[in-house]
Amino acid sequence: MSDTEKNRYVQPSNVKEAMETIQGLFNQYRKADLTMELLKYHQNLVLQLQSDIHDEAVRENNPSQLVTLEKMIGDMQFWTKQRMSDEPFAYKMKNFKLVNENKTKFKRHVIKGGKAGGSHRSSRH
C-alpha cells in the first residue's frame, strides 16, 4: 500500500476519535438530497458504529462511552427514518447527540439604573 493510499483512510486511535470522525461526516451530509448512494453511505457508517466501534468500546470498558455510542446509533437511525418519510431534518449532531438547529435565542440587555445605584439592575428581553 502506498503512502497516498494510507493517508486516504482515517485510522482513529480510540472510540471517541472514531465517533468524532463519524459525527463530522454526518454533519456534512445531513441536509443533502437523499439518494441511494447517500443512504448506503449512511448505513455503512451506522454499521461501523454497531460493529467495529461498539466492539472496541466494550474492550475499552467505559460504560458512559458505551451509552453515548448507543444514543448516537439511535440518532443516526432516526435520521434515516426522517429522511425516508420525507420529513424536514432540522438537527445537527453535537457531542454525539442531535440538537435542534432552530433554537430561539434571547438576548438580554441589562439597564444600569441611574437613581437606584449599582446594586439594582433591571433587564429587558
Side-chain angles (χ1 to χ4, degrees), residues 57-68:
V58 169
R59 250 183 254 117
E60 285 184 8
N61 198 20
N62 186 341
S64 64
Q65 190 172 47
L66 207 51
V67 169
T68 304

Side-chain angles (χ1 to χ4, degrees), residues 28-44:
Q28 287 176 10
Y29 70 75
R30 67 194 155 90
K31 288 189 173 183
D33 292 335
L34 189 62
T35 62
M36 282 307 293
E37 189 176 280
L38 178 62
L39 194 57
K40 283 181 183 177
Y41 180 76
H42 178 76
Q43 294 293 60
N44 187 25

Side-chain angles (χ1 to χ4, degrees), residues 103-122:
K103 198 191 293 187
T104 307
K105 293 183 181 177
F106 294 101
K107 292 185 179 179
R108 276 181 32 139
H109 179 69
V110 176
I111 306 163
K112 295 180 183 177
K115 294 180 185 174
S119 62
H120 175 74
R121 293 177 183 215
S122 62

Side-chain angles (χ1 to χ4, degrees), residues 58-122:
V58 169
R59 250 183 254 117
E60 285 184 8
N61 198 20
N62 186 341
S64 64
Q65 190 172 47
L66 207 51
V67 169
T68 304
L69 177 63
E70 295 292 333
K71 288 180 181 173
M72 185 178 180
I73 292 168
D75 287 346
M76 289 185 73
Q77 290 170 338
F78 173 72
W79 179 87
T80 307
K81 289 176 191 165
Q82 286 286 106
R83 295 304 303 270
M84 292 296 282
S85 62
D86 214 21
E87 302 268 332
F89 191 78
Y91 302 95
K92 68 178 180 179
M93 193 168 285
K94 186 175 180 182
N95 298 323
F96 314 119
K97 52 189 162 196
L98 292 178
V99 292
N100 195 340
E101 274 188 316
N102 301 331
K103 198 191 293 187
T104 307
K105 293 183 181 177
F106 294 101
K107 292 185 179 179
R108 276 181 32 139
H109 179 69
V110 176
I111 306 163
K112 295 180 183 177
K115 294 180 185 174
S119 62
H120 175 74
R121 293 177 183 215
S122 62

